């Protein structure tokens, strides 16, 4: 049963990179699988900034929520600058009812918040384990319920703790007046408000993007994402959101419209806005590598292959992930097969083997840290996400052993992957990649050297 109270959630949207660790976290997973269910279980309406209906800049309704929300949950994962700023605003406006959370990979915590109670959860990157989602949701629900029941309430704002004679400002009327002057609606997500305004929230538009992308309707996905980009440019004075540009680049080059080469050039332009040559964002680097790999396949120009390898190499060592690593290793074999310099070919081939050994360590650690969920753990969608992630980890192990020319372990690993494939295209994609790799291995420069010695 609802209490009529609201909770405003302060956090980023979509996938964001934690630059201290190089990991990319899907913050939407955190919100939809843990935070929102926990808030609603405590009887509060849950609102995030991307769910606010507004017809102009988001600033006024956001500040109104930071002042008036009964509870604010601030997720500081990935050291999001906006989240830190908004938490500071909340702490300045309200002495209590602020809950701070973050992913447990955030070490050390910034000095100014390391004396604030912070509840931590474990994020897998692209997903959250079902048991962890259940554990943390329960913890967060209990925390919110306990805070609301306390009378008098304890200060959780360091501003009011250390300046103990400070009085909270009473400026709700001023905020409403500013909202009225700006022509901005009171933030709400009710059906009636949306119908009367004719507006779609950022969250609703992004769901349309996800739906179209899943169906392979790239042109439709691009229309919705372009709309989101324009809306954000209005809200943020034309400052670009890296996640939106990354998604737009992916959707554009996948669309192959109006033709594949032009689509790649357009995607290349979006990524250029993110400064890929100097970027430390593994998502940007992975996309930059993919676009240049495709450029090379279409043109056979070696500079495209070199740039793709540079991007995947940088992304791999920043993120230490199997996706960038296995692509980096494959491209090293590809360049080794194209090289006319035997020494360069051998260097690339040997480096590819070394990278695959590192990839195997990463994949095996993932399997150890993420055991199979039990029947009672989590919802169906979360289990589905887990098995998809596990498929790609297992398939990557198979590809790594193929590249290391261990046929027995390669076969065992690939069969284990195929046994849990959710869709046929996943197996087809893996088999195509394995065949390409086997063809490259047949041109191994090490075998040429052995034959010369004989």
């Amino acid at each position: 049963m609802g209490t009529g109270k609201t909770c405003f959630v302060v956090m980023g949207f979509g996938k964001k990179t934690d630059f201290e660790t190089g990991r990319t976290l899907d913050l939407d997973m955190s919100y939809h699988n843990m935070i929102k269910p926990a808030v609603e279980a405590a009887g509060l309406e849950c609102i995030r900034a991307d769910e606010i209906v507004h017809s102009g800049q988001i600033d006024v309704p956001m500040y109104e929520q930071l002042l008036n929300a009964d509870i604010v949950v601030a997720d500081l994962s990935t050291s999001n600058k906006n989240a830190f700023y908004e938490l500071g605003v909340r702490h300045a406006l309200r002495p209590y009812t602020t809950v701070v959370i973050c992913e447990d990979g955030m070490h050390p915590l910034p000095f100014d918040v390391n004396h604030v109670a912070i509840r931590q959860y474990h994020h897998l990157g692209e997903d959250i384990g079902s048991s962890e989602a259940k554990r943390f949701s329960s913890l967060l629900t209990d925390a919110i319920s306990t805070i609301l029941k306390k009378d008098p309430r304890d200060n959780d704002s360091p501003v009011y703790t250390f300046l103990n004679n400070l009085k909270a400002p009473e400026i709700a009327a001023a905020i409403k007046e500013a909202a009225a002057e700006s022509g901005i609606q009171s933030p709400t997500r009710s059906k009636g408000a949306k119908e009367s305004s004719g507006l779609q929230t950022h969250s609703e538009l992004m769901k349309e993007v996800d739906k179209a992308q899943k169906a392979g309707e790239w042109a439709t996905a691009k229309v919705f994402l372009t709309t989101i980009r324009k809306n954000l440019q209005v809200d943020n004075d034309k400052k670009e959101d890296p996640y939106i540009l990354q998604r737009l680049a992916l959707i554009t080059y996948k669309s192959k419209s109006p033709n594949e080469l032009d689509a790649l050039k357009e995607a290349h332009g979006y990524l250029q806005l993110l400064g890929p040559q100097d970027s430390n964002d593994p998502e940007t680097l992975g996309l930059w590598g993919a676009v240049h790999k495709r450029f090379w396949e279409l043109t056979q120009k070696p500079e495209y292959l070199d740039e793709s390898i540079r991007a995947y190499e940088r992304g791999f060592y920043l993120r230490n992930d199997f996706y960038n690593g296995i692509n980096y290793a494959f491209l090293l074999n590809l360049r080794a097969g194209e090289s006319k310099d035997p020494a360069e070919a051998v260097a690339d081939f040997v480096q590819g083997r070394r990278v695959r050994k590192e990839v195997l360590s990463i994949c095996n650690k993932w399997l150890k840290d993420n055991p199979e969920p039990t029947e009672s753990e989590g919802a169906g969608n979360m289990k589905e996400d887990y098995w998809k992630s596990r498929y790609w980890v297992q398939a990557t192990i198979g590809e790594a052993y193929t590249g290391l020319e261990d046929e027995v372990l390669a076969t065992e690993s690939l069969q284990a992957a195929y046994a849990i494939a959710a869709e046929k295209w996943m197996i087809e994609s893996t088999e195509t990649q394995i065949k390409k790799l086997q063809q490259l291995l047949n041109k191994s420069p090490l075998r040429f050297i052995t034959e010369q010695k004989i």
Side-chain angles (χ1 to χ4, degrees):
M1 175 182 259
T3 62
K5 297 182 182 295
T6 61
C7 173
F8 184 57
V9 179
V10 169
M11 66 186 304
F13 317 141
K15 294 180 182 179
K16 293 290 185 289
T17 298
D18 180 352
F19 291 105
E20 290 186 0
T21 64
R23 298 172 66 223
T24 298
L25 306 183
D26 190 333
L27 298 181
D28 288 346
M29 282 281 185
S30 304
Y31 179 64
H32 291 293
N33 292 340
M34 291 193 309
I35 300 171
K36 189 170 185 175
V39 170
E40 292 178 343
L44 284 74
E45 181 185 17
C46 189
I47 305 169
R48 193 169 67 166
D50 62 331
E51 297 173 329
I52 294 177
V53 178
H54 66 100
S55 57
Q57 290 190 327
I58 187 64
D59 302 68
V60 173
M62 179 194 72
Y63 286 127
E64 187 175 15
Q65 284 291 330
L66 288 173
L67 173 67
N68 292 329
D70 297 285
I71 294 282
V72 163
V73 173
D75 188 346
L76 304 182
S77 301
T78 73
S79 300
N80 186 283
K81 297 174 185 176
N82 290 330
F84 273 100
Y85 178 80
E86 291 167 30
L87 173 62
V89 171
R90 172 69 173 189
H91 275 162
L93 292 174
R94 293 285 290 268
Y96 37 69
T97 64
T98 301
V99 180
V100 184
I101 66 174
C102 77
E103 199 267 341
D104 61 10
M106 188 176 175
H107 294 294
L109 293 169
F111 173 78
D112 287 336
V113 297
N114 66 10
H115 48 270
V116 175
I118 299 179
R119 295 166 174 83
Q120 296 188 317
Y121 61 89
H122 182 64
H123 204 302
L124 303 179
E126 301 294 319
D127 192 13
I128 294 174
S130 55
S131 58
E132 174 62 1
K134 184 177 180 181
R135 180 198 73 82
F136 189 76
S137 288
S138 177
L139 183 151
L140 187 55
T141 298
D142 290 344
I144 292 171
S145 299
T146 300
I147 289 170
L148 289 175
K149 289 177 183 176
K150 273 200 172 184
D151 187 19
R153 288 171 176 158
D154 298 327
N155 283 359
D156 51 42
S157 164
V159 177
Y160 292 90
T161 299
F162 295 121
L163 302 177
N164 52 28
N165 292 321
L166 190 65
K167 301 297 182 183
E170 296 181 3
I171 55 175
I175 287 184
K176 290 180 181 178
E177 184 179 340
E181 290 175 358
S182 304
I184 298 176
Q185 303 182 102
S186 177
T188 177
R189 298 183 303 119
S190 69
K191 182 179 178 182
K194 285 185 281 188
E195 288 176 350
S196 63
S197 68
L199 297 173
Q200 281 185 292
T201 66
H202 175 108
S203 177
E204 289 169 333
L205 287 169
M206 191 57 80
K207 286 178 182 177
E208 294 294 339
V209 174
D210 294 337
K211 180 181 176 181
Q213 183 174 332
K214 188 174 182 179
E217 298 170 355
W218 303 109
T220 302
K222 187 176 178 182
V223 169
F224 283 113
L225 199 54
T226 301
T227 300
I228 292 172
R229 184 189 182 202
K230 288 179 180 177
N231 290 344
L232 289 175
Q233 286 175 324
V234 171
D235 284 345
N236 299 312
D237 194 24
K238 297 187 178 180
K239 293 178 182 177
E240 298 276 25
D241 184 326
Y243 176 65
I244 299 301
L245 288 175
Q246 290 164 352
R247 286 286 297 267
L248 197 52
L250 174 66
I251 286 169
T252 298
Y253 96 75
K254 288 282 189 181
S255 72
K256 300 182 181 179
S257 177
N259 57 69
E260 188 168 4
L261 190 57
D262 284 342
L264 284 169
K265 289 177 180 177
E266 186 179 350
H268 184 274
Y270 293 132
L271 294 173
Q272 281 279 29
L273 297 173
L274 299 173
Q277 289 84 359
D278 302 314
S279 177
N280 288 329
D281 189 329
E283 290 294 310
T284 296
L285 292 167
L287 287 164
W288 190 249
V291 166
H292 282 83
K293 177 185 176 184
R294 193 67 192 125
F295 269 136
W296 179 82
E297 291 172 347
L298 292 176
T299 67
Q300 296 296 297
K301 292 182 178 179
E303 59 265 30
Y304 288 135
L305 181 57
D306 290 342
E307 184 65 14
S308 182
I309 289 173
R310 190 199 73 82
Y312 278 122
E313 177 184 19
R314 185 173 173 83
F316 174 56
Y317 288 117
L318 282 170
R319 189 174 178 178
N320 198 38
D321 73 314
F322 66 86
Y323 171 78
N324 277 310
I326 204 67
N327 278 286
Y328 173 39
F330 176 81
L331 291 178
L332 286 170
N333 279 104
L334 189 57
R335 189 167 65 182
E338 296 290 320
S339 179
K340 293 180 173 55
D341 183 334
E344 290 292 333
V346 169
D348 277 343
F349 190 90
V350 171
Q351 180 63 8
R353 290 179 62 87
R354 289 174 175 168
V355 170
R356 287 189 177 93
K357 290 177 181 178
E358 290 186 59
V359 168
L360 284 172
S361 296
I362 293 167
C363 289
N364 286 326
K365 184 177 186 304
W366 190 98
L367 293 175
K368 180 181 178 181
D369 293 343
N370 299 282
E372 298 180 14
T374 63
E375 287 299 317
S376 62
E377 288 179 337
N381 287 341
M382 293 181 67
K383 287 186 178 180
E384 182 180 333
D385 290 339
Y386 169 83
W387 286 111
K388 284 182 179 179
S389 296
R390 190 180 180 97
Y391 172 85
W392 292 114
V393 170
Q394 198 70 57
T396 298
I397 292 174
E399 182 179 342
Y401 278 126
T402 299
L404 293 171
E405 300 180 273
D406 188 325
E407 294 183 9
V408 174
L409 290 178
T411 300
E412 288 179 2
S413 301
L414 290 171
Q415 287 178 345
Y418 297 159
I420 59 174
E423 299 176 43
K424 185 179 179 181
W425 71 265
M426 298 166 72
I427 297 175
E428 292 173 348
S429 175
T430 300
E431 288 182 336
T432 299
Q433 180 70 0
I434 295 298
K435 288 177 182 177
K436 288 180 180 178
L437 178 57
Q438 289 171 335
Q439 290 172 356
L440 293 173
L441 294 172
N442 289 334
K443 297 190 289 184
S444 165
L446 299 183
R447 293 179 180 175
F448 175 76
I449 291 172
T450 302
E451 290 170 3
Q452 291 292 94
K453 286 184 178 179
I454 293 174

